[in-house]
Amino acid sequence: MSVSISTPPDDDMVPPEIVATVFYSATVSDNLALLVAESVGGTQRLTWGNEGAMQLLGYGLEDLRTLPAAHLFPTLGGGELKLLLRRERTARMTLPVRMANGATVDAVVITTPAPGGRMWTMRILDTANEQERALRATADAHERRFSALTERSPIPTLLSEQGMRLAHVNDAFCTLVGLRAEQLLGTGWIDTIHEDDLDGVIEQVAAALDGAEVETQARLVRADGSVRTTVIRFAHLFTPGMGAGFVGTIEDITDRLAFEAKLAHQANHDPLTGLPNRTLLAQYVADRFHVGTSGLACLFLDLDNFKVVNDSLGHTAGDELLVEVAARLGATVRPGDLVARFGGDEFVVVCENVDEEAAVALAGRVSEALARPMRLGGVDIRPYASVGVTVQTAEHVLAEELIRDCDIAMYQAKASGKGRVTVLDQQARAQARDKLRLVTELRDAIERREIVMYYQPIFSTRDGQPVAVESLARWDHPERGPVSPTVFVPLAEESGLITGLGRLVLDETCRQLAEWDHLLGVGTVGRANVNVSALQLDDNLAAQVAAALERHSLAPSRIQIEITESALMKDPTSAREVLEQLRDLGVELAIDDFGTGYSSLAYLRHLPVDCLKVDRSFVAELADGHSEIASAVIAMARNLNLCTVAEGWRPSSRPRS
């Protein structure tokens, strides 16, 4: 056998004769039991022993050389033997050592690895002496105190005095795994660890035995076969006379993980239908979207006349319809396709590895499945849907563009008659993108006050003199040129910009009136009329008007608010409440485009308005000699003590009255 000792260089070198003397002493000593183990073919085998080891264990040298190291330690499993024969550092354990006659002797085994990590020196110390017995008694006392402290604790707790062998488990751990304490002591507890998590637990135990405080997540298999997910925390414990062990505490996180999973599911799924919601849909498409590829398709579905079901049969019936639609979609699409509820009565289907023809065919099958009759509230209905289809092309650079495009295609399907399947064409896509850009530019124009006011005079029919002006918003786009209010006002209403636009028009009109007062004095403009959108008819309108008047030091009578007849008829009760708030403020009120909204004349009599503006289509008929409708409106207004304004009339073509 060759032995090498790593020594300092130069003057600190150990002379060879000293090395030989030490080795000889170790070989012949009968008070020191030394063994050498070596890794051979993946198995640790004994290759040498000194005189003390042969006397203690009763083996001859040749017999020792035939034994695997595991034979000497009958209580160690494979995992624990690795902890004893560490490649990186010295290890110490107190455990039974098997002798040649089959009996065991309690001993302290200290192993030291050679630099190469393939050979170990093992020193065996018989504990059958007074000092070791005293240390054992001390260790037993420690264990009794530990048992007393942890036995009734609700926290599952483990105690190892040496290696992975448990000396104590408390009732909480026994309850957790459904086993008795005697089944868990020693290495029995290892059998409760899920086989896929065992290596990780052994690694963390090894770290704890080296002095670290560590934790790991591991599944425990109960006696009934059920599995609990836990966090096991290990802390180093040194027991006199025994060596390195650990204290382990277990936190059962099974219910917490289930609750967190439930919350995550709720955050990403529609509570009514159980389908993925818009958030999960966006993530799903983004994960599968790759620029420059094809084969990813989206179908956007919107139920036709869903509001009719809600209004006529109630919201419960509407919910039943949505649930049934979700079920039919799931049963119709291909395995692997995603069905999501986009919101309201809108659904999206995402398909992979399809071309346009296959996507359109799927949309057709979906439409047929949805159109089958179903019974709701005692009524048979057929839930038709408008479907927009988009397949990824080279022009799509963002995942959200795919969903947006199929949404546009769906609106094309609705516009062409509902109950249809439409594939997005490039012209519609370009128009939609241009509309998005226009919305952004309109928002910027409102913020920068680039929407300017033009003031159209209102003349008296008595003397042809101007008595007021109507404030007209105009947008001169730096690139597009003049943008008609028939374009940008509806756009503002659709995109949520109408409130900002309305505040701008009101404030700029009041500012202009104040400026005219300063410049013209008594000859100033008496009143300005401001048009208000139907979407502005809420409880905030009166406060906004009052704030603008106060900001520019104007009396309420200087402003007249114009509201179209059709806007008033959308929600007459709410509109009347808003008008009354404005009337209480002292502002005059006018109904614009009168005669086009089919309002109830009986209801009109109760509205707090001051003026009717006859729609220009009726005024235009005066030039052709057809004055019947205009004359009737003027007569009715006179009977209601209301003034009238003829839209589009010029003083040079004054009508007869």
Side-chain angles (χ1 to χ4, degrees):
M1 174 183 176
S2 62
V3 178
S4 62
I5 299 178
S6 178
T7 59
D10 304 329
D11 295 339
D12 293 331
M13 288 286 293
V14 178
E17 57 269 21
I18 295 179
V19 174
T21 300
V22 171
F23 180 71
Y24 175 76
S25 175
T27 301
V28 301
S29 173
D30 56 2
N31 294 322
L32 181 65
L34 291 177
L35 296 171
V36 173
E38 185 175 356
S39 181
V40 179
T43 302
Q44 290 75 34
R45 308 190 66 85
L46 299 176
T47 57
W48 180 83
N50 73 345
E51 185 65 27
M54 288 185 284
Q55 288 188 15
L56 176 63
L57 302 178
Y59 288 101
L61 183 59
E62 294 302 320
D63 294 330
L64 277 175
R65 288 175 173 171
T66 65
L67 296 178
H71 178 79
L72 291 185
F73 311 114
T75 61
L76 291 186
E80 290 185 299
L81 185 62
K82 293 179 181 179
L83 294 176
L84 179 62
L85 300 178
R86 305 289 296 275
R87 295 179 181 272
E88 67 278 3
R89 66 188 66 193
T90 297
R92 174 190 177 105
M93 287 188 182
T94 301
L95 69 166
V97 178
R98 181 184 284 132
M99 297 186 294
N101 60 9
T104 59
V105 58
D106 289 336
V108 175
V109 180
I110 303 170
T111 62
T112 303
R118 294 177 51 83
M119 189 176 293
W120 295 265
T121 300
M122 293 190 290
R123 183 183 178 191
I124 303 175
L125 304 176
D126 186 358
T127 60
N129 56 63
E130 291 299 325
Q131 182 180 6
E132 292 294 338
R133 281 193 291 272
L135 291 174
R136 179 68 258 177
T138 301
D140 291 342
H142 282 306
E143 180 182 342
R144 287 193 297 272
R145 285 194 294 271
F146 180 86
S147 300
L149 289 172
T150 63
E151 193 60 46
R152 301 302 177 189
S153 171
I155 301 174
T157 308
L158 317 173
L159 169 66
S160 163
E161 294 179 335
Q162 185 183 76
M164 295 187 68
R165 301 181 59 79
L166 294 188
H168 174 75
V169 294
N170 68 350
D171 289 347
F173 184 73
C174 295
T175 301
L176 176 62
V177 297
L179 295 172
R180 300 186 307 276
E182 54 267 28
Q183 296 174 287
L184 299 168
L185 296 178
T187 58
W189 72 285
I190 297 176
D191 295 333
T192 67
I193 300 172
H194 194 284
E195 59 180 357
D196 293 339
D197 300 334
L198 182 57
D199 289 343
V201 172
I202 291 175
E203 289 179 6
Q204 298 306 314
V205 169
L209 295 176
D210 288 339
E213 291 190 5
V214 294
E215 68 176 50
T216 185
Q217 182 171 308
R219 289 162 291 175
L220 300 182
V221 182
R222 290 174 45 83
D224 60 7
S226 61
V227 177
R228 306 296 293 182
T229 303
T230 67
V231 173
I232 309 177
R233 298 177 177 88
F234 296 106
H236 179 77
L237 177 68
F238 179 78
T239 304
M242 300 297 292
F246 64 82
V247 175
T249 56
I250 295 92
E251 178 186 1
D252 186 351
I253 61 172
T254 308
D255 295 339
R256 189 187 81 196
L257 293 180
F259 181 69
E260 291 174 351
K262 181 179 179 180
L263 289 180
H265 185 275
Q266 291 175 346
N268 293 302
H269 289 77
D270 171 48
L272 177 64
T273 63
L275 294 176
N277 61 14
R278 188 182 304 190
T279 301
L280 187 55
L281 168 67
Q283 185 61 51
Y284 183 90
V285 175
D287 291 343
R288 288 155 180 78
F289 181 87
H290 302 287
V291 177
T293 61
S294 60
L296 189 62
C298 286
L299 281 60
F300 201 112
L301 297 85
D302 183 273
L303 299 182
D304 296 330
N305 301 319
F306 177 72
K307 188 175 184 301
V308 175
V309 175
N310 265 343
D311 293 344
S312 59
L313 301 179
H315 290 282
T316 300
D319 288 347
E320 292 178 11
L321 173 59
L322 293 174
V323 172
E324 176 63 21
V325 167
R328 293 186 182 186
L329 287 174
T332 306
V333 300
R334 308 172 309 164
D337 291 344
L338 177 80
V339 179
R341 186 182 178 194
F342 195 75
D345 60 345
E346 297 174 333
F347 297 83
V348 174
V349 177
V350 182
C351 318
E352 295 184 83
N353 303 317
V354 293
D355 55 16
E356 183 177 298
E357 182 179 354
V360 171
L362 176 59
R365 294 197 300 272
V366 165
S367 296
E368 291 176 6
L370 294 184
R372 294 198 308 269
M374 64 176 292
R375 194 164 187 81
L376 284 177
V379 179
D380 289 330
I381 67 167
R382 292 177 179 268
Y384 293 101
S386 298
V387 186
V389 179
T390 298
V391 179
Q392 183 183 349
T393 67
E395 295 185 7
H396 292 105
V397 296
L398 296 173
E400 53 263 31
E401 292 179 354
L402 201 61
I403 300 175
R404 184 201 63 205
D405 283 357
C406 65
D407 187 13
I408 297 170
M410 181 273 293
Y411 279 106
Q412 283 185 290
K414 272 196 176 303
S416 61
K418 299 184 178 181
R420 297 175 181 269
V421 175
T422 300
V423 180
L424 180 69
D425 59 62
Q426 294 306 310
Q427 181 180 359
R429 190 166 186 261
Q431 290 173 347
R433 289 192 171 188
D434 185 66
K435 185 176 181 180
L436 287 175
R437 285 193 295 269
L438 193 59
V439 168
T440 301
E441 292 162 354
L442 177 58
R443 180 181 289 107
D444 293 340
I446 294 172
E447 291 176 355
R448 294 195 289 258
R449 301 181 73 90
E450 294 174 353
I451 305 297
V452 298
M453 299 301 116
Y454 283 63
Y455 299 94
Q456 176 175 279
I458 300 175
F459 297 94
S460 169
T461 57
R462 293 187 180 92
D463 55 15
Q465 295 300 309
V467 294
V469 295
E470 180 178 0
S471 182
L472 304 174
R474 295 294 182 262
W475 181 19
D476 191 8
H477 192 283
E479 297 176 0
R480 302 171 187 260
V483 180
S484 171
T486 60
V487 173
F488 72 79
V489 171
L491 190 64
E493 291 177 332
E494 293 174 14
S495 56
L497 298 177
I498 192 62
T499 300
L501 177 60
R503 280 200 297 260
L504 172 60
V505 170
L506 181 62
D507 186 74
E508 180 60 24
T509 301
C510 290
R511 186 203 65 77
Q512 185 62 67
L513 281 176
E515 182 177 334
W516 282 333
D517 288 349
H518 177 69
L519 295 175
L520 303 177
V522 294
T524 189
V525 175
R527 187 187 71 243
N529 292 14
V530 177
N531 291 281
V532 170
S533 164
L535 298 180
Q536 292 177 263
L537 291 179
D538 57 28
D539 292 336
N540 297 316
L541 181 58
Q544 292 171 7
V545 172
L549 291 169
E550 182 179 0
R551 191 159 48 247
H552 298 285
S553 303
L554 296 176
S557 60
R558 302 291 298 281
I559 289 292
Q560 184 176 88
I561 299 297
E562 294 186 7
I563 305 167
T564 62
E565 183 184 13
S566 58
L568 290 173
M569 291 302 102
K570 286 183 178 179
D571 188 351
T573 303
S574 297
R576 180 177 177 180
E577 293 176 358
V578 175
L579 294 182
E580 288 176 346
Q581 293 172 8
L582 292 168
R583 168 57 64 84
D584 293 341
L585 185 63
V587 172
E588 293 188 8
L589 303 170
I591 299 180
D592 197 8
D593 298 336
F594 186 77
T596 61
Y598 307 102
S599 61
S600 167
L601 297 180
Y603 185 80
L604 175 64
R605 184 165 57 88
H606 298 289
L607 289 177
V609 297
D610 303 283
C611 186
L612 299 181
K613 293 186 67 177
V614 184
D615 186 70
R616 65 177 59 247
S617 62
F618 302 138
V619 175
E621 294 178 353
L622 296 175
D624 299 327
H626 301 292
S627 61
E628 296 85 357
I629 296 179
S631 298
V633 171
I634 293 171
M636 181 185 65
R638 183 180 296 117
N639 290 332
L640 294 174
N641 294 320
L642 303 177
C643 72
T644 55
V645 173
E647 293 188 86
W649 172 79
R650 294 181 178 86
S652 60
S653 57
R654 186 182 307 168
R656 291 175 296 173
S657 58

